[in-house]
């Protein structure tokens, strides 16, 4: 819920930043307040140069275009230089009150800041190819937290406002980082048009994003999110030292399995025989079998719940071994083709890399929540390499 309006804040901004801007100026900025039904007057009481006036959960966005002829224009130019943004493209920063003592500043391209502050990073340059729509967009953000309860933090925040620079080695400044994000989507499409009428029908989209956070000491963290159509989404977490070497034991793979099923209508329930509750229970039973080894369906997963399964690199390597044992131990030729493609490439060469295995597990057809759980259950049942003993 939001309320839009304009109000005169009753004064000039920036007078307390530095003596060089003591003459003041008038400009505009966007205020977001927490809760519902907040009056415009509450937003007018917020001064972006005095973070103590921002309520916890509130934020302020300042846009370079609104400060072009002011003494703060130089600070936006500095932000643009650090984030590799052309000045003509627009630079903004947002100030968010995290708690009573902390404000978080995030700066970057105007379009990205506005999307980041709203529903998430969603923007892009569009190119259309034969039968497929691809979008690729990259953005760089700078972020830092200031302790406004300390004199040092207040001074560092004032320094940022007047210069656009964050002194990360200064007391009162913490969690300084550079965030680089790339978003990609690919979707099959059927397009048709006649005169002024056009129709576009899209299939399920493959989505991916890569978020890299660089810290002042040069070390980096990398989070990769992958989603293939209706399959189970995959998140990969990695850490690197200042030399770019991946830190051993820090990589993890997380799959998010949603066992909830949609509500069916009368025709689906009575004619097609669909049953939401039984399908959710069956999905949960498969997961519990895979997680506990028990065949009675008892386990940590309840019907209709969403569960996240996180594997370390060594755990996923063990799952590769179990998957290969299940495939090799089957006495029926050609059985488990859906598992064989996880541990062999197209030429039959064994797959040993955990990254390749994880992506294959998320990408292959039929890896929706039920199919994913069924694969894990099959691996659990055959991981000893001998299906004849039914162990």
């Amino acid at each position: 819920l939001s309320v839009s309006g304009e109000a005169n804040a009753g004064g000039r901004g920036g007078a307390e930043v530095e003596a060089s801007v003591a003459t003041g100026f008038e400009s505009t900025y966007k205020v977001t307040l927490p809760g519902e039904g907040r009056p415009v007057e509450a937003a007018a009481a917020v001064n972006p140069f005095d973070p103590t006036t921002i309520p916890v959960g509130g934020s302020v966005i300042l846009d370079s275009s609104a400060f072009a002829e002011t003494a703060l224009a130089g600070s936006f130019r500095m932000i643009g230089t650090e984030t590799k943004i052309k000045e003509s493209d627009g630079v903004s920063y947002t100030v968010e009150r995290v708690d009573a003592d902390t404000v978080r500043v995030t700066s970057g391209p105007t379009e990205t800041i506005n999307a980041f502050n709203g529903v998430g990073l969603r923007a892009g340059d569009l190119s259309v190819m034969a039968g497929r729509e691809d979008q690729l967009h990259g953005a760089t953000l700078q972020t830092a937290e200031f302790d406004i309860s300390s004199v040092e933090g207040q001074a560092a925040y004032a320094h940022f406002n007047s210069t656009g620079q964050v002194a990360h080695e200064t007391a009162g400044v913490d969690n300084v980082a550079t965030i680089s994000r790339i978003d990609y989507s690919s979707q099959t499409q059927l397009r048709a048009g006649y005169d002024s009428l056009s129709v576009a029908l899209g299939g399920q989209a493959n989505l991916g994003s890569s978020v890299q956070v660089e810290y002042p000491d040069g070390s980096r963290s990398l989070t990769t999110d992958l989603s293939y159509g209706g399959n189970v989404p995959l998140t990969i977490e990695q850490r690197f030292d200042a030399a770019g070497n991946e830190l051993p034991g820090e990589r993890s793979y997380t799959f998010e399995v949603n066992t909830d099923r949609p509500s069916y209508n009368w025709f689906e329930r009575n004619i097609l025989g669909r049953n939401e509750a039984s399908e959710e229970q069956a999905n949960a039973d498969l997961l519990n079998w895979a997680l506990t080894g028990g065949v009675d369906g008892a386990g940590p997963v309840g019907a209709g719940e969403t569960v996240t399964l996180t594997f370390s690199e060594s755990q996923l390597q063990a799952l590769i071994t179990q998957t290969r044992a299940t495939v090799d131990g089957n006495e029926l030729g050609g059985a488990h083709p859906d598992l064989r493609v996880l541990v062999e490439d197209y030429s039959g060469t064994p797959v040993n890399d955990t990254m390749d295995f994880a992506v294959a597990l998320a990408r292959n057809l039929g890896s929706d929540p039920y199919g994913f759980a069924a694969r894990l259950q099959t691996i659990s049942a055959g991981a000893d390499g001998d299906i004849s003993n039914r162990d």
Side-chain angles (χ1 to χ4, degrees):
L1 292 173
S2 64
V3 177
S4 298
E6 294 183 1
N8 189 331
R12 292 173 176 264
E16 297 178 351
V17 176
E18 274 194 354
S20 62
V21 292
T23 54
F25 54 83
E26 291 183 357
S27 192
T28 59
Y29 47 89
K30 180 180 178 180
V31 177
T32 301
L33 298 177
E36 300 180 12
R38 302 297 298 272
V40 173
E41 289 75 17
V46 172
N47 177 3
F49 306 106
D50 180 5
T52 62
T53 64
I54 306 174
V56 174
S59 64
V60 182
I61 294 181
L62 296 91
D63 186 348
S64 58
S65 63
F67 293 84
E69 303 299 326
T70 74
L72 291 189
S75 66
F76 285 97
R77 281 195 292 271
M78 173 59 69
I79 293 171
T81 300
E82 292 184 351
T83 54
K84 300 179 176 62
I85 307 168
K86 294 180 181 179
E87 188 174 356
S88 59
D89 292 340
V91 180
S92 295
Y93 71 89
T94 179
V95 185
E96 178 188 2
R97 186 76 176 271
V98 179
D99 55 41
D101 298 332
T102 310
V103 293
R104 180 185 297 117
V105 175
T106 305
S107 57
T110 296
E111 183 179 13
T112 301
I113 286 291
N114 279 289
F116 190 77
N117 188 67
V119 296
L121 209 56
R122 285 292 181 269
D125 300 321
L126 178 65
S127 64
V128 178
M129 301 176 64
R132 194 175 77 224
E133 179 182 77
D134 293 335
Q135 295 186 30
L136 180 64
H137 174 70
T140 299
L141 301 170
Q142 301 274 355
T143 182
E145 293 183 354
F146 297 85
D147 180 5
I148 58 175
S149 67
S150 68
V151 175
E152 295 84 359
Q154 293 174 4
Y157 182 77
H159 178 74
F160 168 79
N161 274 326
S162 59
T163 67
Q165 295 176 314
V166 176
H168 64 83
E169 296 180 353
T170 302
V173 182
D174 197 10
N175 294 328
V176 179
T178 299
I179 303 174
S180 303
R181 174 163 184 156
I182 295 176
D183 287 283
Y184 172 79
S185 69
S186 177
Q187 183 182 36
T188 56
Q189 288 209 344
L190 172 64
R191 291 176 174 267
Y194 178 76
D195 196 13
S196 61
L197 177 65
S198 64
V199 178
L201 302 177
Q204 290 184 317
N206 298 332
L207 307 174
S209 71
S210 178
V211 179
Q212 175 180 280
V213 180
E214 182 174 345
Y215 303 98
D217 64 358
S219 64
R220 296 177 291 117
S221 66
L222 180 64
T223 301
T224 304
D225 290 300
L226 300 173
S227 176
Y228 296 91
N231 288 359
V232 170
L234 166 65
T235 298
I236 305 166
E237 299 275 359
Q238 297 170 270
R239 289 296 302 267
F240 301 83
D241 62 19
N245 303 309
E246 185 172 2
L247 299 178
E250 292 291 323
R251 189 191 297 185
S252 67
Y253 301 91
T254 298
F255 299 91
E256 184 177 281
V257 188
N258 183 5
T259 67
D260 186 35
R261 297 295 296 161
S263 298
Y264 294 117
N265 56 38
W266 182 91
F267 180 82
E268 291 170 324
R269 289 194 307 269
N270 294 277
I271 304 301
L272 300 182
R274 306 300 298 268
N275 187 305
E276 175 187 354
S278 64
E279 290 178 9
E280 292 175 348
Q281 188 62 58
N283 202 338
D285 289 345
L286 289 172
L287 282 173
N288 285 326
W289 182 333
L291 294 171
T292 68
V295 298
D296 58 359
V301 184
E305 293 181 349
T306 297
V307 60
T308 55
L309 304 178
T310 300
F311 297 84
S312 66
E313 196 162 15
S314 61
Q315 289 171 333
L316 202 65
Q317 189 66 58
L319 187 62
I320 294 177
T321 302
Q322 293 171 335
T323 305
R324 186 171 289 115
T326 301
V327 173
D328 294 343
N330 199 302
E331 298 169 350
L332 301 177
H336 296 321
D338 57 332
L339 298 184
R340 187 176 295 277
V341 297
L342 303 178
V343 293
E344 294 180 3
D345 62 17
Y346 293 113
S347 61
T349 304
V351 171
N352 296 308
D353 184 75
T354 55
M355 182 77 75
D356 292 340
F357 178 79
V359 173
L361 193 57
R363 183 188 61 207
N364 279 291
L365 292 175
S367 285
D368 59 8
Y370 187 87
F372 182 88
R375 284 193 173 109
L376 292 185
Q377 183 272 334
T378 302
I379 296 170
S380 175
D384 64 346
D386 184 1
I387 65 167
S388 62
N389 61 16
R390 298 186 178 276
D391 186 359

